[in-house]
């Protein structure tokens, strides 16, 4: 119970930090950007092919926007505390390290998912696609899974190299998600991008008509397995980050 | 209460704390040392932020690193300024109490009590960025004591404060230490002295002295010191110093300078001043080694750096030279 309270305290505090006017402006701009791209694509193409629109929506919201949002909110989990001089206050509280990590994870997921869902609504409106409510539900799940998995992925560099977390996380996103994730090998099984792509293909009913060359980049397992895989991956990454943070020490000169 | 046994903390090849053994019982303790002496590292070990590279650290009989039972009984106020911008002191203190596992209502009440106690009740709802340094220091202190810890650990709590704020904070901490245990690290010695705390002096990551103020003064009394003066009749004052039985050695500097080696500089200085007045000797300067805590501290620093031992050797030689 105490652990849950600590985690919720951090999540609430971090969300309040994120609710600054500057951050809200950035969030609204970020949410509007995919809609603007979709509108531009519609105008340039003189209309929008449904499948192309869905792929563009997938690339813009669950991938690009979620990644950017999590880079801003999850990566500085330790670096921000060191810079603000609050690290020492937090880690001397019982369970402070774990609460800081998990609470920030929840806040980052909540904030990014909120912005992404707003963006999803705007972009779907801009795209003018058929059966938007069904697409909205489907993409909402993809957004949530993307946020969970990627936030946990970014937690690792954030605790291992806090002062280079942003660069390391961009590197991790490129190497793990967009390099290993597209390798037709066992390694892509432990990436979020494979699971999200596979869900998209499955839910859009594209699997039957998928060219043989593209079948290498999606997984054949049913959706429930894909969702479970993301949740397990999230739990493993977050546990690993929590264990690393539990033993992390910073010389006094590095603080503040 | 706090026990370090051969504790060493290394940061790569840099030594933060070096083979330090000390036991601090319940009550108030001051940790003295110049910048870079290892005070903050020692506090980091005590408050469970750091693990010793070698040796053992226990607080309340248990290792503090990652131990919620110990951490729940410690309140810590770091030296670094709080750069949290938007939060108010009330939000900050409430947050830290909730972080320890308290429910929201309990945390708010505890934060309010602590803010009242440090005299920040009226500014409790102002953003931290709008508060003065002294007020932010109080906010940090309130956050440290809000969960009612058994041990309060303060790192350089008086740094950057104006004299009034310093006085107020000293009074606050003194009041706290009457009922709970306290460990204060500082290089501002007069404030530590005002806290009536036991002392541990740390230099280069090593403990060089510990005990009460009086015990450390007693220690310093066993070390040679000096009285320096300039007068129109230094040889007469040298005679008086020798006849007083307080002088260990004599050395003349120029035509009017006299340096007297002694283990009791203050009584000797008083005796010389009285004699000068009685015999009409014009004293230009008279300087006795500082016996305040600051003076003691300076002497320990000198000894640690080898200056004192060189002077000790010289002092041993001087009586023989004076005899010749």
């Amino acid at each position: 119970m105490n652990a849950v309270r600590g985690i919720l305290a951090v999540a609430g505090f971090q969300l309040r930090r994120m609710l600054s006017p500057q951050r809200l402006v950035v969030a609204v701009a970020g949410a509007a950007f995919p809609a603007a791209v979709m509108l531009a694509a519609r105008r340039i193409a003189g209309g929008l092919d449904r499948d192309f629109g869905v792929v563009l929506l997938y690339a813009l919201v669950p991938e690009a926007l979620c990644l950017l949002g999590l880079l801003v909110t999850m990566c500085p989990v330790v670096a921000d505390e060191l810079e603000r001089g609050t690290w020492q206050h937090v880690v001397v509280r019982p369970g402070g390290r774990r609460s800081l990590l998990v609470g920030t994870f929840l806040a980052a997921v909540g904030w990014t998912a909120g912005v992404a869902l707003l963006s999803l609504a705007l972009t779907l409106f801009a795209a003018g696609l058929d059966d938007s409510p069904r697409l909205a539900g489907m993409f909402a799940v993809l957004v949530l899974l993307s946020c969970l998995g990627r936030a946990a992925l970014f937690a690792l560099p954030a605790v291992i190299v806090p002062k280079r977390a942003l660069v390391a996380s961009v590197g991790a996103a490129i190497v793990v998600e967009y390099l290993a994730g597209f390798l037709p090998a066992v390694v892509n099984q432990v990436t979020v991008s494979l699971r999200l792509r596979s869900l998209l293909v499955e839910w859009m009913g594209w699997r039957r008509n998928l060219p043989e060359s593209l079948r290498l980049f999606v997984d054949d397992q049913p959706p429930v397995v894909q969702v479970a895989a993301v949740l397990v991956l999230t739990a493993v990454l977050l546990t690993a980050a929590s264990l690393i943070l539990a033993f992390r020490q910073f010389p006094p000169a590095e603080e503040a | 209460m706090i026990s370090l046994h051969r504790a060493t903390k290394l940061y790569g090849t840099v030594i933060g704390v070096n083979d330090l053994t000390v036991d601090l019982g319940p009550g108030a303790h001051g940790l003295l040392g110049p910048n870079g002496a290892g005070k903050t590292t020692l506090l980091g070990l005590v408050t469970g932020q750091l693990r010793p590279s070698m040796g053992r650290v226990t607080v309340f009989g248990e290792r503090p690193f990652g131990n919620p039972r110990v951490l729940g009984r410690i309140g810590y106020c770091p030296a670094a300024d709080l750069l949290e911008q938007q939060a108010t002191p009330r939000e900050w203190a409430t947050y830290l109490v909730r972080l320890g596992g308290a429910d929201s209502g309990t945390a708010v009440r505890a934060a309010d009590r602590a803010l009242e106690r440090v005299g920040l009740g009226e500014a409790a709802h102002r953003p931290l960025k709008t508060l003065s340094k002294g007020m932010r220091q109080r906010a940090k202190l309130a956050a440290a004591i809000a969960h009612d810890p058994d041990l309060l650990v303060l790192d350089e709590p008086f740094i950057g404060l104006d004299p009034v704020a310093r006085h107020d904070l000293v009074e606050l901490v003194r009041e706290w230490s009457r009922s709970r245990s306290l460990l204060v690290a500082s290089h501002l010695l007069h404030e530590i002295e005002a806290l009536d705390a036991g002392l541990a002096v740390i230099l280069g990551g090593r403990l060089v002295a510990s005990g009460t103020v009086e015990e450390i003064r007693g220690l310093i009394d066993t070390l040679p010191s000096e009285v320096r003066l300039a007068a129109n009749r230094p040889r007469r004052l040298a005679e008086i110093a020798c006849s007083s039985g307080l002088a260990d050695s004599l050395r003349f500097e120029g035509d009017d300078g006299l340096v007297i080696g002694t283990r009791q500089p203050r009584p000797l200085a008083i005796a010389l001043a009285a004699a000068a007045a009685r015999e009409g000797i014009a004293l230009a300067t008279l300087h006795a080694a500082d016996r305040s805590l600051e003076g003691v501290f300076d002497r320990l620093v000198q000894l640690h750096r080898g200056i004192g031992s060189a002077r000790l050797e010289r002092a041993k030689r001087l009586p023989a030279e004076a005899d010749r």
Side-chain angles (χ1 to χ4, degrees), chain A residues 26-88:
Chain A
V26 171
V28 170
F33 182 71
V37 172
M38 190 65 84
L39 268 179
R42 244 179 110 175
R43 178 163 294 184
I44 291 166
L48 205 60
D49 174 69
R50 184 171 185 275
D51 287 353
F52 176 75
V54 169
V55 169
L56 188 58
L57 183 63
Y58 173 77
L60 288 171
V61 182
E63 292 291 340
L65 186 62
C66 287
L67 280 173
L68 287 174
L70 292 167
L71 282 174
V72 175
T73 51
M74 191 66 212
C75 288
V77 56
V78 176
D80 243 15
E81 303 300 322
L82 291 171
E83 278 177 23
R84 289 171 193 259
T86 51
W87 169 256
Q88 292 170 300

Side-chain angles (χ1 to χ4, degrees), chain B:
Chain B
M1 181 182 68
I2 298 170
S3 174
L4 287 89
H5 178 71
R6 306 206 66 175
T8 297
K9 181 63 191 173
L10 300 168
Y11 303 113
T13 55
V14 177
I15 298 177
V17 164
N18 189 359
D19 196 24
L20 201 148
T21 297
V22 65
D23 284 299
L24 302 174
H29 302 277
L31 186 61
L32 303 178
N35 291 333
K39 302 186 298 293
T40 301
T41 297
L42 198 152
L43 296 190
L45 291 169
V46 168
T47 55
Q49 299 169 62
L50 302 172
R51 271 188 314 167
S53 309
M54 285 177 273
R56 194 181 66 240
V57 177
T58 58
V59 180
F60 302 121
E62 296 184 65
R63 293 172 196 229
F65 187 85
N67 186 337
R69 284 188 302 278
V70 176
L71 297 183
R73 299 175 66 186
I74 297 175
Y76 181 50
C77 183
D81 196 9
L82 193 55
L83 301 178
E84 187 66 40
Q85 295 288 299
Q86 295 172 358
T88 65
R90 188 176 192 244
E91 286 169 347
W92 180 244
T94 303
Y95 168 56
L96 289 183
V97 178
R98 286 187 68 200
L99 198 52
D103 64 72
S104 187
T106 306
V108 168
R109 286 192 294 277
D112 285 342
R113 273 199 306 275
L115 288 164
E116 285 297 331
R117 191 168 183 180
V118 302
L120 211 58
E122 288 183 9
H125 296 278
R126 283 172 53 189
L128 281 162
K129 66 179 176 185
T130 66
L131 301 182
S132 66
K133 168 90 180 175
M135 292 168 100
R136 282 203 304 277
Q137 200 72 3
R138 283 165 182 259
K140 278 164 55 183
L141 185 61
I145 65 174
H147 63 288
D148 208 19
D150 295 319
L151 167 65
L152 178 61
V153 180
L154 308 174
D155 190 2
E156 301 283 5
F158 310 109
I159 204 162
L161 299 184
D162 62 60
V164 175
R166 273 185 194 176
H167 174 264
D168 290 350
L169 199 57
V170 165
E171 289 305 311
L172 262 171
V173 175
R174 278 182 75 160
E175 194 241 318
W176 167 273
S177 67
R178 285 190 195 111
S179 56
R180 303 292 172 92
S181 293
L182 176 72
L183 178 59
V184 183
S186 179
H187 61 270
L188 292 172
L189 304 175
H190 52 284
E191 272 100 359
I192 296 290
E193 202 165 13
L195 293 174
D196 301 329
L199 295 175
V201 182
I202 182 172
L203 290 162
R206 286 178 175 275
L207 186 76
V208 294
S210 68
T212 63
V213 174
E214 291 310 315
E215 282 169 346
I216 290 186
R217 282 190 172 144
L219 168 73
I220 210 72
D221 279 344
T222 64
L223 301 171
S225 188
E226 287 179 344
V227 170
R228 290 174 165 270
L229 61 86
N232 60 347
R233 291 164 57 198
R235 291 183 183 281
R236 173 60 189 145
L237 289 176
E239 283 175 30
I240 293 166
C242 288
S243 61
S244 71
L246 299 173
D248 293 335
S249 63
L250 295 170
R251 185 173 78 252
F252 291 99
E253 288 186 343
D255 292 337
D256 58 356
L258 175 62
V259 181
I260 308 167
T262 177
R263 285 159 207 274
Q264 298 175 65
R266 194 162 294 275
L268 178 60
I270 291 168
L272 289 172
R278 195 172 55 246
E279 299 192 13
I281 299 172
L283 261 178
T285 62
L286 176 64
H287 178 257
D290 189 359
R291 309 301 278 184
S292 70
L293 190 52
E294 197 137 0
V296 171
F297 181 63
D298 287 345
R299 288 288 297 142
L300 288 169
V301 172
Q302 286 173 354
L303 284 170
H304 180 76
R305 291 175 179 164
I307 302 167
S309 54
R311 196 174 286 175
L312 188 64
E313 287 302 312
R314 200 174 62 201
K316 283 176 184 169
R317 286 200 311 271
L318 280 175
E321 290 170 4
D323 288 345
R324 283 202 297 275

Side-chain angles (χ1 to χ4, degrees), chain A residues 3-202:
Chain A
V4 174
R5 283 178 180 154
I7 289 166
L8 292 177
V10 174
F13 196 78
Q14 296 285 35
L15 279 173
R16 273 200 298 279
R17 276 178 177 170
M18 292 172 191
L19 283 172
S20 66
Q22 296 94 324
R23 286 223 179 182
L24 282 172
V25 168
V26 171
V28 170
F33 182 71
V37 172
M38 190 65 84
L39 268 179
R42 244 179 110 175
R43 178 163 294 184
I44 291 166
L48 205 60
D49 174 69
R50 184 171 185 275
D51 287 353
F52 176 75
V54 169
V55 169
L56 188 58
L57 183 63
Y58 173 77
L60 288 171
V61 182
E63 292 291 340
L65 186 62
C66 287
L67 280 173
L68 287 174
L70 292 167
L71 282 174
V72 175
T73 51
M74 191 66 212
C75 288
V77 56
V78 176
D80 243 15
E81 303 300 322
L82 291 171
E83 278 177 23
R84 289 171 193 259
T86 51
W87 169 256
Q88 292 170 300
H89 295 265
V90 171
V91 296
V92 298
R93 304 300 300 130
R97 293 166 189 259
R98 180 196 52 221
S99 298
L100 176 68
L101 182 74
V102 182
T104 305
F105 169 82
L106 291 179
V109 168
W111 174 260
T112 308
V115 174
L117 290 175
L118 172 65
S119 178
L120 181 63
L122 294 172
T123 313
L124 275 173
F125 181 74
L129 298 172
D130 297 337
D131 66 351
S132 286
R134 192 182 80 82
L135 287 177
M138 189 185 92
F139 271 94
V141 175
L142 292 179
V143 160
L144 283 176
L145 290 176
S146 175
C147 288
L148 287 170
R150 270 69 182 265
L153 174 66
F154 292 163
L156 272 180
V159 299
I160 295 170
V161 280
K163 298 201 169 172
R164 300 280 180 275
L166 199 62
V167 175
S169 294
V170 170
I174 292 169
V175 173
V176 177
E177 288 294 295
Y178 300 117
L179 194 64
F182 279 90
L183 285 177
V186 178
V187 67
N188 72 1
Q189 298 290 314
V190 292
T191 64
V192 178
S193 64
L194 173 77
R195 307 299 170 183
L196 297 184
R197 275 198 314 276
S198 302
L199 283 171
L200 179 71
V201 166
E202 182 67 29

